[in-house]
Amino acid sequence: MIKKLILFIFLLFLTNCKSFADVIYIPGDTNSLETAFSLLDEDEATVDSIIVTSAVSFLVSSPIQFKSGVALVSDMESAEAAIVTSEFSSNIFEMTNPNSNTIIDKFKIQNGYDDTSTGGAALRINTTITSSAVFKNCIFFNNENDANGNGGSVEIYGSGSSSNRFERCPFRDNITTGDG
């Protein structure tokens, strides 16, 4: 009877360990931010996490579709150690209806450039229902929209309600020719 109970507890533990497998480490599992996002399982109900464990600078070549519920976290002391830079003329991160488990913590998001009329060169959030993402200890630096779009750095748009939070996030040297 005790052996069956131990086996049952062990099997229960194994079935619940799936959530631990949803952590992607940079470096470790990959060295690319774009690859880390592509590895996330779209069908999982658990919160996925991407954890950056050393100083790094990412150069992204296309907009990263940021899945709702993903936590992108740097374990460095400051945002200056984990930098995301754009090499294209579009948004760096795009989100749709991010929930409160959608987090970016301790990243410097810089040099986003949007020459379309959309806006939000660093971050664009589409709110069709509701959005409640959390941005902590991030620096939005030198992002630009020069096509009459809204938000040189961040644009939140759509017909839904927005309760996104920006905590200890300075916005420096961002430019727009439109609102924001």
Side-chain angles (χ1 to χ4, degrees):
M1 180 66 177
I2 293 178
K3 287 183 181 180
K4 287 183 181 180
L5 180 60
I6 292 172
L7 179 61
F8 173 76
I9 292 171
F10 178 73
L11 291 174
L12 183 64
F13 174 78
L14 286 180
T15 59
N16 288 324
C17 281
K18 177 71 174 132
S19 63
F20 295 113
D22 292 333
V23 176
I24 297 170
Y25 292 95
I26 300 174
D29 297 321
T30 183
N31 290 325
S32 162
L33 190 60
E34 292 164 306
T35 301
F37 274 91
S38 71
L39 293 173
L40 298 174
D41 184 359
E42 291 289 339
D43 297 327
E44 280 297 315
T46 60
V47 174
D48 294 308
S49 297
I50 299 172
I51 300 175
V52 176
T53 59
S54 65
V56 65
S57 181
F58 299 107
L59 185 62
V60 295
S61 60
S62 62
I64 293 175
Q65 301 301 315
F66 207 108
K67 179 183 148 193
S68 183
V70 171
L72 175 61
V73 178
S74 167
D75 71 356
M76 301 290 94
E77 290 295 319
S78 80
E80 296 287 348
I83 300 171
V84 182
T85 301
S86 171
E87 69 171 358
F88 57 92
S89 59
S90 189
N91 316 90
I92 294 176
F93 291 113
E94 294 180 349
M95 300 178 175
T96 299
N97 300 319
N99 64 28
S100 61
N101 291 325
T102 308
I103 299 168
I104 299 180
D105 188 8
K106 287 191 269 188
F107 279 83
K108 183 176 186 179
I109 304 169
Q110 68 180 20
N111 300 335
Y113 180 78
D114 186 12
D115 62 357
T116 69
S117 61
T118 58
L123 172 64
R124 193 158 193 258
I125 302 174
N126 182 357
T127 303
T128 60
I129 302 169
T130 185
S131 66
S132 54
V134 180
F135 306 91
K136 300 188 289 188
N137 308 302
C138 292
I139 300 169
F140 292 88
F141 177 72
N142 197 39
N143 298 288
E144 180 178 355
N145 175 289
D146 72 352
N148 294 321
N150 296 321
S153 190
V154 176
E155 180 189 27
I156 301 170
Y157 69 100
S159 60
S161 64
S162 172
S163 61
N164 300 293
R165 293 190 336 254
F166 292 83
E167 302 171 1
R168 297 173 304 282
C169 293
F171 289 76
R172 297 185 190 131
D173 300 326
N174 298 288
I175 300 168
T176 185
T177 55
D179 294 331

